[in-house]
Amino acid sequence: MADLPVSPLGLRAPAAPGYIRTGASRAAAGLGPGVALLYLSLMVALPVAALTSTAASSQFLTALTAPQTGAALALTVAEAVATAVIDAVTGVALAWVLVRDDFPGKRLVNALIDLPFALPTIVAGLVLLTLYGPGSPVQLNIAQTRAGILLALLFVTLPFVVRAVQPVLLAVDREAEEAAASLGAGPLTTFRRIVLPAILPATLSGAGLAFARALGEFGSVVLISGNLPFKTMMASVLIAGQVESGDTAGAAAVSVTLLAFALVVIAIVTGAARRLARRHG
Amino acid sequence: MARRLLRYGVLAYLAALLIVPVGMIAYRTFGHGLAPVVDALTSAGALHAAYMSILVCVLAVPLDVVFGVGAGILLARRRMPARWLVNSVIDLPFAMSPVVIGLALFILYGRGGWLGGWLAAHGIQVLFNWPGMVLATAFVCLPFVAREVVPVLEELGTEQEQAASVLGARPLQTLLRITLPAIRWALVYGVVLSAARALGEFGAVTIVSGNIVGQTQTLPLYVDEQFGNFNPTAAYSAGLLLAVIAILILLAMTLLTRKRAREHE
């Protein structure tokens, strides 16, 4: 089972920092680092600074407390939390089946997990609408509902938890599980006491990434949600609408709030995952 | 028993969420035969959208390759005071909504923006034009090459480069003969990932392009517009084309993973 290729498109843990100081590396590097730093500031830092400055000079609080904006932000956070929680459960189950179970076609299923990362988001929305939209062949029309948004978010975030948990599960020591089982622990107890502590940090970071992605998701949601104010209007769709109607300052205020929220959640989740991993040894 | 229950439960979830819907779009696309699909895909609008998608992809991905390799060398080899900051900025696009990325560029290059006014005075139109679309796409795809290349460069160390340099190789020679060959697989990976993302980019490009039909419309924008105009055949055809490209990319990645694994043995 160790030969199972984990993820063609998946997430890899950041490698340990290598602090190496040599004159030769500077020679080999040549212009590279300078170009990279310039590029980073011009391409990323400058636009983000411009965005933040516009948001700061706008009527920040007025923009945020507009009833429609508040409703959109609340809905977005609720949908993202639901997505992360469901992904954590289904992702662990999927990873478990892909690592521990064996059935014909498993490699194909494993490869398919990455499809949502490769598929353009607008196509993801379109694809879901053909089955769960108006004229649904299974008599299930969830277009323009909050459940429809959740479905789209679950689709695009599917790989995060699976790809985070899979390599950890592959590395879990089977002997401890066998020992627990031979001492009379049931499969559920073994899972809860032996496997779960090992995969919890990875599950948490996968769910955190899924949350951040769901928070800002646009393409897959825009067709399916119907964008009804106070009902199915997600924050990203609201921002796009504000830009279109010329309210750049309001859009910037919502954007900065969304970005700050994502960064804070990612920082908290990463910290928690690291602490859990350390405690587990 | 429990194992089977879990297996079938998980497979049912995948089928309902992923496999059946993707199959369904193929069925809907060819619901009226092949001819309408061919007509839709060879219409002037679809062809121009495909051209724009390829143009943006071909211009944005090399930008990210140059940056990714530079950043990789920077992060992997250098003791830097603000290492964590560079690292976080590289990952920033993953935390940002594509719409927010589009808006940030929209503000910077807009009429009253820090750069927009100066560029407009020099006759350079960034927004509602291909340069803005390339910048937006390059921003969104920024982390892919860098994240692939950095771990490989860290593992590689600097001994070979040092040796080359001691033997008299110039920096450029060392880069071309030592560094680039060592990271070639990571680079191929990063490029494929970036290209896939670039071809499908929707949110950021929506904001900066203005979605002008026949001018700044890419294939994903075309899908959206045709669907909104109650022209499902055109939307499904272009959508299916993008889905097929995605599946081919996935296949290529799977084969690459296998090849790379074999080379490592």
Side-chain angles (χ1 to χ4, degrees):
Chain A
M1 208 134 325
D3 65 335
L4 190 71
V6 166
S7 169
L9 299 193
L11 306 144
R12 242 147 275 148
Y19 293 120
I20 303 161
R21 280 172 293 171
T22 60
S25 78
R26 196 177 312 136
L31 281 172
V35 171
L37 273 183
L38 186 72
Y39 187 91
L40 211 53
S41 0
L42 255 168
M43 293 283 295
V44 180
L46 201 59
V48 174
L51 173 77
T52 316
S53 137
T54 302
S57 61
S58 72
Q59 301 287 344
F60 194 75
L61 287 179
T62 323
L64 283 190
T65 47
Q68 199 177 321
T69 307
L73 283 171
L75 173 70
T76 306
V77 172
E79 293 275 1
V81 168
T83 304
V85 170
I86 297 175
D87 272 346
V89 176
T90 56
V92 168
L94 269 164
W96 176 274
V97 168
L98 285 174
V99 172
R100 295 293 178 86
D101 203 354
D102 226 342
F103 52 91
K106 191 171 92 165
R107 289 174 79 123
L108 181 69
V109 172
N110 184 57
L112 274 177
I113 299 282
D114 279 322
L115 187 59
F117 277 168
L119 204 65
T121 51
I122 190 78
V123 179
L126 192 67
V127 153
L128 288 173
L129 271 180
T130 58
L131 188 60
Y132 302 113
S136 157
V138 289
Q139 307 299 318
L140 195 65
N141 180 2
I142 52 171
Q144 310 197 351
T145 66
R146 293 177 172 181
I149 299 173
L150 184 61
L151 192 72
L153 295 177
L154 289 174
F155 184 103
V156 295
T157 58
L158 175 76
F160 284 110
V161 175
V162 183
R163 293 313 188 203
V165 170
Q166 240 175 333
V168 184
L169 208 51
L170 271 170
V172 164
D173 182 15
R174 298 291 285 268
E175 276 174 25
E177 284 173 63
E178 279 156 22
S182 74
L183 292 171
L188 267 183
T189 314
T190 313
F191 180 79
R192 193 165 51 84
R193 302 286 289 270
I194 310 269
V195 181
L196 197 59
I199 61 171
L200 204 56
T203 310
L204 206 58
S205 26
L209 288 173
F211 177 86
R213 173 71 195 265
L215 211 55
E217 180 55 25
F218 178 67
S220 64
V221 163
V222 73
L223 290 183
I224 215 168
S225 74
N227 313 322
L228 311 168
F230 300 104
K231 236 193 109 201
T232 59
M233 177 74 86
M234 291 285 279
S236 58
V237 183
L238 176 76
I239 294 167
Q242 284 172 318
V243 174
E244 205 166 315
S245 63
D247 182 15
T248 312
V254 183
S255 294
V256 167
T257 311
L258 206 60
L259 176 59
F261 201 73
L263 290 178
V264 167
V265 168
I266 288 177
I268 291 174
V269 167
T270 314
R274 207 168 290 160
R275 217 168 311 123
L276 270 177
R278 210 175 302 136
R279 196 186 306 158
H280 185 253
Chain B
M1 183 62 211
R3 170 178 286 239
R4 291 224 162 150
L5 209 65
L6 188 64
R7 180 198 304 170
Y8 293 125
V10 157
L11 289 178
Y13 179 72
L14 266 189
L17 189 66
L18 195 66
I19 299 165
V20 179
V22 173
M24 194 62 205
I25 194 177
Y27 177 75
R28 287 252 169 132
T29 307
F30 294 109
H32 302 284
L34 192 64
V37 179
V38 174
D39 286 349
L41 288 180
T42 51
S43 70
L47 286 177
H48 191 271
Y51 163 74
M52 282 310 288
S53 281
I54 294 169
L55 178 77
V56 168
C57 183
V58 164
L59 291 175
V61 173
L63 274 180
D64 282 341
V65 168
V66 172
F67 165 74
V69 174
I73 293 171
L74 184 77
L75 280 176
R77 313 298 181 85
R78 299 220 162 177
R79 194 189 184 90
M80 292 183 30
R83 206 183 131 84
W84 65 272
L85 187 67
V86 175
N87 238 324
S88 322
V89 177
I90 290 177
D91 278 338
L92 196 61
F94 279 158
M96 286 176 83
S97 170
V99 178
V100 175
I101 292 175
L103 178 61
L105 294 167
F106 187 87
I107 290 173
L108 182 63
Y109 294 102
R111 207 171 298 158
W114 294 343
L115 297 182
W118 186 84
L119 288 170
H122 289 74
I124 301 170
Q125 166 88 11
V126 174
L127 291 183
F128 316 120
N129 200 2
W130 62 267
M133 299 161 73
V134 170
L135 285 174
T137 307
F139 192 135
V140 170
C141 303
L142 180 86
F144 290 112
V145 173
R147 282 282 155 260
E148 289 295 327
V149 167
V150 169
V152 182
L153 280 176
E154 280 174 349
E155 203 182 318
L156 180 71
T158 52
E159 279 166 26
Q160 294 179 34
E161 288 173 7
Q162 247 171 312
S165 150
V166 165
L167 293 172
R170 302 226 185 118
L172 187 67
Q173 267 178 315
T174 316
L175 182 74
L176 291 179
R177 296 275 185 87
I178 309 278
T179 315
L180 286 184
I183 59 171
R184 67 185 186 284
W185 282 119
L187 212 52
V188 170
Y189 254 62
V191 167
V192 176
L193 286 175
S194 306
R197 191 72 174 77
L199 281 177
E201 179 42 37
F202 179 70
V205 171
T206 299
I207 303 283
V208 296
S209 74
N211 195 4
I212 308 166
V213 177
Q215 284 185 44
T216 61
Q217 195 173 54
T218 59
L219 265 185
L221 295 175
Y222 175 81
V223 170
D224 180 43
E225 198 227 1
Q226 293 300 319
F227 191 79
N229 287 347
F230 303 103
N231 192 357
T233 307
Y236 289 150
S237 306
L240 184 66
L241 177 68
L242 285 168
V244 169
I245 294 173
I247 291 170
L248 288 178
I249 287 173
L250 207 59
L251 200 67
M253 294 300 287
T254 312
L255 295 178
L256 271 177
T257 315
R258 218 171 285 168
K259 192 162 179 204
R260 175 149 84 161
R262 215 173 302 139
E263 227 169 73
H264 266 276
E265 273 163 13

